[in-house]
C-alpha cells in the first residue's frame, strides 16, 4: 500500500544519486519493474527506501547484462534461483571475455603484421605490386597460424628488409613464372607432367630465394592453401590472370613435384640473410 506521508524521493532525486536517467526510471515504471510506492502531500509519486533497494538490485543485474524480463522474474518470484541465474551469467561473461581476449590478440597481431610487412609507400606498393593485393585479414590469420614457426618469422623479417628494387625484381620473376604457368595450363599440360612439375619447383625455389627455405613438405602445405582459400591463391595469381581450376592444377603440380624429391632436400638458393639485390641477379648462386 502506497505511503502518503510525503516522505520519500522524487524521480529527479533518485536519478541524481542512482546515476540513471529519468527516462530509464520512467521505463522501469512502465514495464512494471519498479514503480514508486509512495506519494507526496501534493500527490506526486515518491520512491521509498524499499524501492531504492529494489532499484539497486535491478541495476546490479543490468550491469551483468541480464534482460529486463529476466530481472523481473528473479525479483518477483520468491522461489527464483538467483544463484543459478548468476552462475549462468558468470559462464556467459567468462565466454565473452575469452572471445574479447582473442579479438585483442588478433588486433595486436594485425598491427604487428602491418608494422613488419612490406615497407613501401602506397604509391610504391601500387607501382611494384600492381594487381597483387596484400589482404591484411589473410595475412593476420596466417601470422596467427604460423607465428611460432621459425620459417615464418624468417620470412617476415626478410620481407621487411627488402628494398623497392628487391620487390621489383621479385615481382618481375613472379610475373614471368605466371606467364609460363598459365601457358602450360592453357596448352593442356598435365599437372603431374614434367613441365608443370618444373614450374612447381621454380615456385619453391622462388620462395627459398626471397623469403625462407621451403622444403617440399612445407611447399605442399602452402599449395593446399591455394585451393582452401582464394585469398592465398590471389597472392600468387591475381584474379584477372586466373583460370577455372588453375588453383587445383598448381596444387597438383606442387604435390607431384614433391613426390619426386626428398622432403627435406637442401635448396639451391638457401637463404643467406638477405635477398639477392638487383645487381646480384647474374652472380653465380
Amino acid at each position: 500500500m502506497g505511503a502518503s506521508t510525503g516522505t520519500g524521493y522524487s524521480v529527479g532525486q533518485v536519478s541524481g544519486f542512482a546515476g540513471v536517467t529519468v527516462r530509464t526510471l520512467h521505463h522501469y515504471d512502465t514495464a512494471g519493474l519498479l514503480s514508486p510506492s509512495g506519494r507526496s502531500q501534493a500527490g506526486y509519486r515518491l520512491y521509498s527506501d524499499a524501492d531504492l533497494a529494489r532499484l539497486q538490485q535491478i541495476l546490479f543485474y543490468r550491469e551483468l547484462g541480464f534482460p529486463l524480463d529476466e530481472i523481473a522474474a528473479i525479483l518477483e518470484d520468491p522461489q527464483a534461483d538467483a544463484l543459478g541465474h548468476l552462475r549462468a551469467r558468470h559462464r556467459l561473461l567468462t565466454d565473452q571475455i575469452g572471445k574479447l581476449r582473442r579479438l585483442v590478440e588478433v588486433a595486436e597481431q594485425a598491427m604487428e603484421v602491418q608494422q613488419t610487412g612490406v615497407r613501401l609507400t602506397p604509391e610504391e606498393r601500387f607501382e611494384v605490386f600492381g594487381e597483387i593485393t596484400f589482404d591484411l585479414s589473410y595475412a593476420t590469420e596466417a601470422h596467427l597460424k604460423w607465428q611460432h614457426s621459425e620459417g615464418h618469422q624468417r620470412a617476415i623479417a626478410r620481407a621487411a628488409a627488402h628494398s623497392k628494387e628487391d620487390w621489383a625484381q621479385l615481382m618481375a620473376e613472379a610475373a614471368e613464372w605466371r606467364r609460363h604457368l598459365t601457358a602450360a595450363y592453357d596448352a593442356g599440360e598435365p599437372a603431374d607432367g614434367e613441365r608443370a612439375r618444373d614450374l612447381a619447383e621454380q615456385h619453391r625455389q622462388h620462395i627459398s630465394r626471397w623469403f625462407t627455405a621451403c622444403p617440399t613438405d612445407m611447399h605442399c602445405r602452402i599449395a593446399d592453401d591455394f585451393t582452401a582459400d582464394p585469398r592465398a591463391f590471389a597472392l600468387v595469381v591475381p584474379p584477372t590472370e586466373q583460370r577455372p581450376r588453375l588453383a587445383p592444377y598448381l596444387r597438383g603440380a606442387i604435390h607431384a613435384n614433391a613426390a619426386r624429391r626428398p622432403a627435406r632436400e637442401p635448396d639451391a638458393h638457401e637463404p643467406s640473410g638477405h635477398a639477392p639485390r638487383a645487381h646480384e641477379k647474374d652472380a653465380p648462386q
Side-chain angles (χ1 to χ4, degrees):
M1 183 167 144
S4 59
T5 63
T7 60
Y9 307 92
S10 70
V11 65
Q13 289 175 314
V14 173
S15 171
F17 58 66
V20 295
T21 65
V22 170
R23 182 177 179 180
T24 296
L25 292 171
H26 283 315
H27 178 63
Y28 290 168
D29 188 3
T30 303
L33 189 60
L34 176 66
S35 298
S37 58
R39 288 189 180 276
S40 68
Q41 297 292 344
Y44 294 107
R45 303 180 74 182
L46 299 174
Y47 290 88
S48 67
D49 289 336
D51 295 332
L52 296 184
R54 183 180 175 91
L55 176 60
Q56 188 176 34
Q57 289 182 290
I58 293 169
L59 296 179
F60 168 72
Y61 285 117
R62 286 298 288 157
E63 185 70 19
L64 292 176
F66 281 85
L68 293 182
D69 57 349
E70 194 170 342
I71 296 173
I74 295 172
L75 297 182
E76 295 302 327
D77 183 2
Q79 304 300 319
D81 182 9
L83 182 58
H85 283 282
L86 288 171
R87 283 173 174 162
R89 183 59 50 172
H90 181 271
R91 288 193 296 270
L92 177 62
L93 291 172
T94 300
D95 290 343
Q96 291 175 341
I97 289 170
K99 291 177 182 177
L100 289 172
R101 282 175 175 163
R102 288 192 291 273
L103 286 175
V104 168
E105 181 182 357
V106 169
E108 289 173 347
Q109 296 292 352
M111 290 187 289
E112 185 176 327
V113 170
Q114 188 79 322
Q115 291 168 351
T116 60
V118 181
R119 294 180 180 175
L120 300 176
T121 66
E123 294 79 10
E124 289 174 331
R125 284 175 183 255
F126 181 79
E127 179 185 345
V128 171
F129 293 105
E131 290 184 72
I132 299 290
T133 57
F134 191 73
D135 190 315
L136 185 57
S137 65
Y138 174 76
T140 301
E141 290 172 16
H143 186 63
L144 288 172
K145 183 178 180 181
W146 302 109
Q147 60 182 317
H148 301 300
S149 161
E150 183 180 343
H152 176 75
Q153 294 170 0
R154 185 185 302 116
I156 290 292
R158 296 189 71 211
H162 288 343
S163 67
K164 178 184 175 182
E165 291 72 23
D166 293 331
W167 284 111
Q169 181 183 341
L170 182 163
M171 295 303 294
E173 291 178 7
E176 180 69 7
W177 173 83
R178 289 198 307 273
R179 187 177 68 79
H180 288 292
L181 174 69
T182 53
Y185 178 80
D186 291 341
E189 295 281 352
D192 59 355
E194 184 176 0
R195 184 176 176 186
R197 293 198 309 266
D198 287 347
L199 286 165
E201 177 60 18
Q202 290 172 23
H203 182 260
R204 188 178 76 88
Q205 294 291 341
H206 180 83
I207 295 173
S208 295
R209 185 163 60 254
W210 288 101
F211 299 104
T212 186
C214 183
T216 53
D217 55 348
M218 174 180 169
H219 199 210
C220 286
R221 291 194 297 273
I222 292 172
D224 292 341
D225 268 358
F226 294 161
T227 54
D229 193 329
R231 298 172 301 175
F233 188 57
L235 289 172
V236 178
V237 181
T240 57
E241 297 181 25
Q242 292 180 13
R243 310 284 197 274
R245 305 289 302 168
L246 181 58
Y249 177 82
L250 178 56
R251 177 185 180 276
I254 289 173
H255 277 267
N257 179 59
R260 68 174 180 173
R261 312 184 70 89
R264 293 286 178 179
E265 179 184 20
D267 289 317
H269 300 286
E270 191 71 26
S272 58
H274 72 284
R277 307 296 181 186
H279 66 274
E280 297 172 350
K281 176 165 132 176
D282 301 321
Q285 297 294 325

